[in-house]
């Protein structure tokens, strides 16, 4: 991670300064109300701090996928009310992102006022990272703050282009995310354990390859463990398994071996003949005893306990992907148990634990440990690309 500036590098008094602030306000909406305010809450501290310090806060965000055209249903005017409720302040909606309407609106705003500009993706220049488009936006700002880590894997005008045109700073949410990710994988305290679970190897090949070079313990669970087991000659019955990727799985195991990374695969598993809640065919067995008509739907209790013991020897944990089909009980048991172990070790101060991924966030919430691990990233695609070891253009531009 390069060194980036934060809001601490700005003068304390920002009275009248125009801050162009990229945020993630892509709220899930239903009947005019947000069903989840996590994203708005995440960027509230940055918005409120800049406002308190006297800046005119101009928020830039995308919303949905309008593909370079105006869509009335994707206007950010839809979410102004939700944002106002979260920050408990009035927000002026500005129906453009550049040009005279923005300039006049900014003129009307007083120090500390907050304006929300229209959906940046209404303009094709956003996703094309068009230099003239970025310049036109930058004309209405004195400095740029990026608080949208979740969009940092995209080199768009408001996530990357602006950083080259104005003095640039990481917002508080971005700063927190980058510090957590750095502690987990950029510059972690060894030994480091990575848990990679989820459905398929094919969606996480790059993640597995990167981690096998960088961590001391690679714990593989979920459906993808079946592909690795199959590569080791285990008959996984009817389990979700990518048989065409067994060579790839072998190559990852060999590379890990060479890098001194221990791969942990389950030796007991929870199986059933049908995928349903609490099926009558449910049983726990050794991986070598899975019947032809059975599916592996979770890792077993012995493996889970052994993995807990691995975590006890580690200083750092990075986690993406549930260990089993956690949405359907009792196939949530291993994920919940290991999550609780990780949370307890974190609370004891012996483990730094960072997790991310859409279903992982849900699984940790289900286990009730969201607040007891060090950091949970809700950044989705950006988190995965970071797990793959890729440089994120939005982050790189802040550090340039
Ligand atoms: P994330 O969104 O956290 O990156 P993924 O999308 O890769 O995670 O994987 C989550 C999905 O994997 C969940 O829907 C879960 O039910 C599924 N899954 C986990 N283990 C198994 C398994 N053994 N068989 C089938 N599906 C599984
Ligand atoms: Mg998912």
């Amino acid at each position: 991670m390069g060194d980036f500036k934060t809001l601490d590098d700005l003068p304390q008094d920002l009275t009248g300064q125009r801050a162009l602030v990229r945020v993630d306000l892509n709220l899930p909406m239903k009947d005019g109300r947000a069903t989840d305010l996590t994203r708005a809450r995440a960027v509230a501290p940055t918005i409120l701090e800049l406002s308190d310090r006297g800046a005119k806060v101009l928020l830039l965000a995308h919303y949905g996928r309008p593909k370079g055209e105006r869509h009335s249903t994707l206007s950010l005017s839809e979410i102004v009310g939700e944002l106002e409720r979260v920050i408990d302040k009035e927000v002026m909606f500005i129906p453009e992102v550049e040009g005279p309407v923005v300039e006049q609106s900014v003129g009307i705003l007083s120090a500390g006022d907050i304006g929300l500009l229209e959906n940046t993706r209404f303009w094709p220049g956003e996703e094309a990272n068009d230099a003239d488009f970025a310049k036109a936006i930058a004309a209405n700002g004195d400095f740029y703050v990026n608080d949208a880590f979740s969009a940092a894997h995209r080199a768009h005008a408001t996530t990357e282009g602006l950083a080259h045109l104005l003095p640039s700073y990481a917002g508080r949410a971005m700063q927190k995310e980058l510090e957590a990710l750095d502690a987990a994988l950029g510059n972690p305290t060894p030994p480091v354990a990575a848990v990679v679970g989820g459905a398929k190897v094919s969606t996480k090949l790059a993640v597995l390859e990167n981690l096998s070079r960088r961590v001391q313990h690679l714990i593989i669970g979920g459906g993808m463990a079946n592909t690795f087991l199959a590569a080791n000659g285990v008959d996984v019955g009817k389990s979700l398994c990518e048989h065409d990727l067994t060579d790839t799985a072998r190559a990852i195991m060999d590379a890990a071996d060479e890098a001194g990374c221990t791969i942990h695969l389950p030796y007991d598993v929870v199986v059933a003949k049908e995928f349903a809640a609490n099926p009558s065919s449910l049983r726990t067995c050794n991986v070598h005893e899975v019947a032809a008509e059975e599916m592996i739907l979770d890792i077993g209790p012995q493996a889970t306990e052994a993995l807990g013991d691995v975590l006890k020897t580690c200083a750092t944990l990075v986690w993406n992907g549930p260990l089993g089909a956690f949405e359907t009980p009792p196939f949530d048991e291993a994920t919940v148990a290991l999550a609780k172990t990780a949370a307890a070790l974190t609370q004891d101060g012996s483990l730094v634990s960072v997790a991310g991924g859409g279903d992982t966030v849900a699984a940790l919430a289900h286990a009730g440990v969201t607040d007891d691990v060090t950091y949970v990233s809700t950044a989705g695609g950006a988190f995965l690309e970071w797990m793959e070891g890729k440089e994120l253009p939005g982050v790189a531009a802040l550090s340039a």
Side-chain angles (χ1 to χ4, degrees):
M1 186 176 66
D3 41 1
F4 52 89
K5 293 199 173 76
T6 72
L7 302 189
D8 296 326
D9 295 296
L10 279 160
Q12 182 53 38
D13 182 7
L14 296 169
T15 302
Q17 296 258 325
R18 300 163 304 166
L20 283 167
V21 186
R22 183 57 159 92
V23 288
D24 181 354
L25 289 174
N26 204 9
L27 306 181
M29 299 290 287
K30 197 169 183 265
D31 304 325
R33 292 302 300 258
T35 53
D36 181 2
L37 289 168
T38 307
R39 286 171 170 155
R41 290 200 184 104
V43 294
T46 294
I47 297 171
L48 291 171
E49 177 173 346
L50 288 167
S51 165
D52 284 347
R53 287 165 68 176
K56 295 183 178 185
V57 184
L58 302 169
L59 303 175
L60 294 161
H62 74 274
Y63 184 45
R65 298 180 182 275
K67 304 236 161 86
E69 283 171 40
R70 276 188 194 267
H71 283 266
S72 57
T73 54
L74 294 177
S75 170
L76 273 173
S77 59
E78 298 279 310
I79 67 106
V80 170
E82 297 294 48
L83 179 60
E84 286 181 326
R85 268 186 286 279
V86 168
I87 63 176
D88 199 19
K89 271 193 186 246
E90 213 175 295
V91 174
M92 179 195 213
F93 179 67
I94 302 169
E96 299 287 340
V97 284
E98 44 98 356
V101 170
V102 178
E103 196 182 333
Q104 283 152 23
S105 305
V106 175
I108 295 167
L109 293 178
S110 304
D113 282 353
I114 298 158
L116 173 61
L117 306 184
E118 184 55 285
N119 188 348
T120 56
R121 290 192 186 166
F122 280 3
W123 288 269
E126 167 70 335
E127 292 182 68
N129 201 1
D130 181 80
D132 291 331
F133 180 63
K135 261 184 218 155
I137 298 173
N140 288 306
D142 296 303
F143 62 93
Y144 167 70
V145 175
N146 190 347
D147 212 25
F149 177 82
S150 59
H153 57 317
R154 309 276 184 231
H156 294 170
T158 65
T159 64
E160 201 270 348
L162 283 178
H164 298 294
L165 301 172
L166 292 169
S168 303
Y169 306 87
R172 295 303 183 196
M174 173 74 90
Q175 179 186 351
K176 222 167 119 187
E177 182 106 24
L178 293 178
E179 284 168 359
L181 299 190
D182 197 51
L185 204 54
N187 206 2
T189 306
V192 185
V195 172
V196 183
K200 290 182 171 181
V201 171
S202 52
T203 60
K204 292 185 182 173
L205 264 183
V207 170
L208 291 164
E209 280 165 358
N210 184 42
L211 291 175
S212 65
R213 289 191 298 263
R214 293 171 65 172
V215 305
Q216 286 71 52
H217 296 278
L218 179 54
I219 294 165
I220 300 177
M224 64 175 61
N226 303 337
T227 302
F228 280 82
L229 290 169
N232 282 344
V234 172
D235 183 351
V236 297
K238 268 199 334 184
S239 304
L240 175 63
C241 179
E242 292 167 289
H243 290 282
D244 54 326
L245 285 180
T246 49
D247 285 348
T248 307
R250 264 257 67 88
I252 291 170
M253 290 190 274
D254 290 344
D257 209 36
E258 224 160 276
C261 165
T262 306
I263 291 197
H264 300 267
L265 291 170
Y267 42 80
D268 64 337
V269 285
V270 181
V271 299
K273 287 181 188 159
E274 61 276 313
F275 183 25
N278 305 304
S280 56
S281 59
L282 182 76
R283 71 183 189 106
T284 297
C285 66
N286 183 279
V287 289
H288 294 288
E289 294 164 358
V290 178
E293 66 279 14
E294 287 179 322
M295 281 174 279
I296 301 171
L297 291 164
D298 198 8
I299 70 172
Q302 287 182 44
T304 307
E305 202 180 317
L307 294 177
D309 289 340
V310 172
L311 296 191
K312 284 176 195 147
T313 70
C314 290
T316 307
L317 166 67
V318 51
W319 185 337
N320 169 254
L323 297 176
F326 76 100
E327 300 94 335
T328 311
F331 309 113
D332 57 342
E333 280 180 8
T335 303
V336 169
L338 197 66
K340 286 190 169 153
T341 302
L345 294 169
T346 306
Q347 292 303 308
D348 286 349
S350 72
L351 189 71
V352 169
S353 51
V354 174
D359 293 292
T360 310
V361 173
L364 296 187
H366 171 68
V369 303
T370 305
D371 297 332
D372 295 332
V373 294
T374 309
Y375 190 79
V376 178
S377 172
T378 55
F383 179 83
L384 271 186
E385 288 200 19
W386 170 80
M387 288 271 278
E388 292 171 358
K390 286 194 189 147
E391 178 170 80
L392 309 186
V395 175
L398 279 183
S399 311

